[in-house]
Amino acid sequence: MLAVGKQRSITWVAGIVLLGTLAGCNSQGTNFENYPSVYGQKPAATSQMTNDEAASMQARLSSLGAARKSGAISEAEYQRRLKEMRALAEQHGADALKEIQN
């Protein structure tokens, strides 16, 4: 019996706290222009890689790996091409950022 009384008083206290919090909310003067819109499709900052470009890149990487495995190219040539592709990957992010900012 005593536990039920404590539960009710806790419920009353929680209700009073909730009402006090809600009373402090003021919907007047809210400027919704400062909040981002979550509705609709936003345009991309830069173009995305197409499926054809992705397939082409995958084919290049696969052929490079196959050429290395079969011995068609030397290890030095493989490392040179790999370094070239990694440099392109590192530089692409900075180049894309410059393009977006301009």
Side-chain angles (χ1 to χ4, degrees), residues 19-31:
L19 285 175
T21 304
L22 291 175
C25 293
N26 184 2
S27 63
Q28 295 177 351
T30 302
N31 185 359

Side-chain angles (χ1 to χ4, degrees), residues 48-58:
Q48 187 172 2
M49 179 188 298
T50 65
N51 290 340
D52 293 335
E53 290 172 328
S56 171
M57 187 177 294
Q58 184 177 6

Side-chain angles (χ1 to χ4, degrees), residues 59-73 78:
R60 280 182 53 203
L61 291 171
S62 296
S63 67
L64 179 60
R68 177 185 187 203
K69 189 174 184 178
S70 69
I73 61 171
Y78 172 79

Side-chain angles (χ1 to χ4, degrees), residues 8 16 40 46 72 81 84-85 98-99:
R8 286 185 185 164
I16 291 170
T46 187
R81 290 186 189 179
E84 184 181 293
M85 287 183 195
K98 287 177 188 174
E99 183 181 327

Side-chain angles (χ1 to χ4, degrees), residues 26-39 42:
N26 184 2
S27 63
Q28 295 177 351
T30 302
N31 185 359
F32 290 107
E33 293 174 3
N34 295 332
Y35 296 100
S37 173
V38 294
Y39 303 105
K42 296 292 181 187

